[in-house]
Amino acid sequence: MIVKVKVPATSANLGCGFDTLGMALNLYTTFTFEEIKKGLEFEGFDEKYCNEDNLVYISFNKALKQLNKKVEGVRISVDCQVPISRGLGSSSICVVAGIFAAYALSNTQINRDDIFKLATTIEGHPDNVSPAIFGGLSASCVVNNEALTIKYDIDERFTFLALIPDFETSTNESRKALPDIVCRQDAIYTLSRLGMVLKALENYDLSLLSKVMDDKLHEPYRCKLIHEYDKVKEICKSVDSVCFMISGSGSTLLNVIEDRKNVQLIRDKLKDLEYKWRVLELKVDKEGTKIL
């Protein structure tokens, strides 16, 4: 039996939605799971991931155990379009793919709510796994060890530029950059904008979005870890930028533009920088993970 699982990239935080908001984007990694007689095989992965510590395989096994099902052997292949360790949800993609594959190969009916709960347990937080599973824009949290998520509409007219450099950032290092204590004013500044951001994304209100996307809980600290952050931001602001933010914990930066005609101009200006910034023009994925 062969199963293909297609999972979208995600962008978490979205400015003031630190550890809460997540959005699926139309950039995908596709995994092929083939049941074999016995053992474990990999195709298309870097050599360092070709072992039992592979996150896809770990998630696959945990899902099988929860379902009380068994697969004697599996070959896992990958067509990776989402860059690794760039703030586009690569670890969540692996987790979600492994769980979906376990359901499919064991002939278990897909239950996205149950998949979400298990994926949150494996990943440790729900903000990326939710949009990867359900698509669209979501707000998520964990209450008394129960993962909760709610999906929001997001206007199809939005164009997001993913600005991807040729260096990685570690989520652990990005976490270490954050202060242990934040002042009340910074918390209020950030949280007071959250509801307006959701409404602006729902209604394509670019004017409102440009005023309320700022954050003081994580971006001021994490931006220092991203080479050429200030230069990239200035280029975007000089050409076309409704708002500008770090995608997840970086190193990818996300720029919301109004006029798609400006994409090439931004791309041309970034060519002069050192870190080979790649520009992808993306839309929101509204369907989430698919079994092909």
Side-chain angles (χ1 to χ4, degrees):
M1 183 176 182
I2 298 177
V3 169
K4 287 193 174 184
V5 183
K6 182 180 178 182
V7 190
T10 58
S11 181
N13 301 324
L14 301 180
C16 65
F18 176 52
D19 274 8
T20 298
L21 296 185
M23 175 177 63
L25 297 166
N26 65 340
L27 179 68
Y28 305 94
T29 290
T30 301
F31 299 86
T32 301
F33 295 79
E34 182 178 357
E35 190 171 1
I36 58 178
K37 289 184 178 180
K38 190 176 181 180
L40 173 62
E41 299 176 9
F42 293 97
E43 292 181 357
F45 291 87
D46 286 346
E47 186 175 349
K48 62 182 177 181
Y49 299 120
C50 295
N51 52 64
E52 291 186 354
D53 292 328
N54 182 294
L55 186 55
V56 182
Y57 182 65
I58 289 173
S59 304
F60 177 75
N61 272 335
K62 287 188 176 182
L64 286 175
K65 184 176 181 180
Q66 180 171 292
L67 295 169
N68 197 27
K69 299 291 180 70
K70 193 171 183 179
V71 174
E72 295 294 340
V74 65
R75 179 183 297 116
I76 307 173
S77 307
V78 62
D79 177 8
C80 185
Q81 300 302 315
V82 180
I84 297 172
S85 297
R86 297 293 201 282
L88 289 168
S90 57
S91 65
S92 292
I93 287 172
C94 293
V95 170
V96 170
I99 299 173
F100 267 85
Y103 272 74
L105 280 184
S106 64
N107 292 310
T108 304
Q109 184 175 353
I110 298 296
N111 185 317
R112 291 179 188 260
D113 291 331
D114 287 346
I115 289 173
F116 167 66
K117 292 173 184 177
L118 178 58
T120 299
T121 299
I122 297 171
E123 179 73 353
H125 46 88
D127 51 336
N128 271 315
V129 297
S130 176
I133 294 166
F134 298 104
L137 170 69
S138 62
S140 307
C141 66
V142 177
V143 180
N144 296 326
N145 294 320
E146 180 186 3
L148 304 174
T149 191
I150 186 168
K151 188 173 178 180
Y152 290 87
D153 290 329
I154 183 166
D155 196 287
E156 295 179 355
R157 288 173 287 180
F158 276 104
T159 297
F160 299 91
L161 295 189
L163 314 170
I164 308 169
D166 65 352
F167 61 87
E168 299 178 0
T169 55
S170 161
T171 300
N172 287 335
E173 290 302 315
S174 295
R175 286 282 175 188
K176 290 178 182 178
L178 302 178
D180 294 327
I181 299 173
V182 296
C183 70
R184 181 185 302 170
Q185 289 84 354
D186 286 352
I188 293 171
Y189 179 96
T190 302
L191 293 173
S192 63
R193 286 158 167 71
L194 186 56
M196 294 185 186
V197 166
L198 291 169
K199 184 58 69 173
L201 290 171
E202 186 178 69
N203 293 341
Y204 196 66
D205 191 335
L206 301 184
S207 176
L208 177 60
L209 196 63
S210 68
K211 298 172 184 175
V212 298
M213 189 60 93
D214 287 349
D215 158 82
K216 288 192 176 182
L217 294 183
H218 71 107
E219 290 209 355
Y221 309 100
R222 287 175 163 171
C223 70
K224 299 172 185 177
L225 302 178
I226 301 175
H227 308 306
E228 299 182 317
Y229 172 91
D230 290 331
K231 292 180 179 178
V232 175
K233 184 175 183 178
E234 185 55 39
I235 286 172
C236 290
K237 288 179 67 176
S238 69
V239 177
D240 186 356
S241 180
V242 175
C243 58
F244 183 90
M245 70 204 87
I246 298 171
S247 180
S249 58
S251 56
T252 295
L253 302 173
L254 208 63
N255 188 41
V256 179
I257 63 170
E258 185 171 5
D259 190 346
R260 295 176 66 181
K261 294 178 182 178
N262 289 322
V263 174
Q264 189 57 48
L265 182 55
I266 292 174
R267 187 177 280 120
D268 290 342
K269 287 180 175 289
L270 290 175
K271 287 180 181 178
D272 295 331
L273 300 185
E274 179 181 353
Y275 287 94
K276 300 179 182 178
W277 293 82
R278 185 162 55 110
V279 180
L280 297 183
E281 185 179 352
L282 302 174
K283 294 288 188 177
V284 174
D285 170 277
K286 295 194 173 186
E287 297 183 316
T289 298
K290 289 182 177 181
I291 303 290
L292 303 179

